[in-house]
């Protein structure tokens, strides 16, 4: 187990990412510092943020961490992945931002990570900086996955990497949104698949 994975398990950082998937994010994010900054959609409590952020810290790069922190459909009250400790009773909604900030500080990444507390679609609208790597792990509906993959992949610099989580080829394994969106980016051209670790796929832009 790497020091990074040890940090995550010892501090019980909540999240939805396998150890080897996190390590792959860490590895690839270190290779793109010369290409451009790194951006993730869907930070939740900061698990993927720590892997990507640590890679950016080492390479003097920056990670933009986009999440409205209101949770995806499956995190809402009564749904499968609801976590009552993240529920704001007064406002009656999920708020993962306090937990996210705690994780980023604990990991020593306050000077590396720029939290963007907003929807993906609002953030991408005027985004102009060519990116070195985009990690898509936000809303998993077919429409949201497609919007995120297509719109954000267009913001990558040549040589940049698109990583997409929760790719399930068969419907019985999980939702098809991310898988179909990943296939669409490849079909549109200009991207080549370079790796896959469990449900985490990597494409490189020509
Ligand atoms: N990458 C995280 C898990 C992300 S869970 C980890 O490593 O554990 C999905 C996250 O996407 C949730 O926190 C949810 O609030 C966020 N999300 C869902 N739809 C979104 C959207 N349209 N814009 C921004 N964030 C979104
Ligand atoms: Mg995921």
């Amino acid at each position: 187990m790497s020091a990074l994975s040890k940090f995550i398990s010892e501090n019980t950082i909540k999240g939805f990412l396998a150890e080897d998937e996190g390590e792959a994010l860490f590895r690839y994010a270190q290779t793109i510092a010369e290409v451009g900054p790194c951006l993730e959609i869907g930070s939740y409590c900061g698990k993927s943020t720590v892997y990507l952020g640590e890679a950016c810290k080492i390479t003097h790069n920056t990670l933009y961490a986009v999440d409205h922190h209101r949770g995806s459909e499956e995190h809402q009250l009564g749904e499968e992945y609801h976590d009552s400790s993240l529920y704001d009773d007064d406002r009656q909604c999920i708020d993962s931002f306090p937990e996210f900030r705690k994780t980023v500080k604990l990991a020593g990444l306050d000077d590396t990570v720029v939290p963007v507390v907003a929807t993906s679609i609002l953030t991408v609208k005027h985004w102009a900086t060519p990116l070195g790597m985009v990690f898509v792990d936000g809303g998993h509906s077919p429409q949201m996955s497609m919007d995120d993959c297509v719109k954000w992949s267009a913001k990558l610099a040549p040589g940049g990497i698109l990583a997409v989580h929760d790719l399930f080829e068969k419907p019985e394994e999980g939702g098809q949104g991310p898988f179909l969106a990943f296939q669409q980016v490849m079909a549109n051209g200009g991207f080549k698949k370079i790796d896959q670790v469990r449900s985490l796929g990597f494409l490189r832009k020509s």
Side-chain angles (χ1 to χ4, degrees), residues 16-17 135-138 140 165-166 199:
F16 308 97
L17 197 69
F135 170 52
V136 177
D137 195 20
H140 287 42
H165 196 223
D166 302 302
S199 75

Side-chain angles (χ1 to χ4, degrees), residues 57-103:
K57 187 177 183 176
I58 292 169
T59 54
H60 306 286
N61 202 355
T62 303
L63 170 63
Y64 296 90
V66 181
D67 196 316
H68 50 47
H69 288 286
R70 293 302 189 211
S72 301
E73 284 171 20
E74 64 275 19
H75 303 132
Q76 304 308 316
L77 199 62
E79 299 298 326
E80 190 179 358
Y81 293 101
H82 179 70
D83 182 335
S84 58
S85 72
L86 300 176
Y87 196 71
D88 182 332
D89 288 315
D90 294 337
R91 286 166 195 84
Q92 301 205 348
C93 60
I94 295 285
D95 188 2
S96 52
F97 191 49
E99 193 67 24
F100 169 82
R101 292 197 82 182
K102 219 189 285 175
T103 303

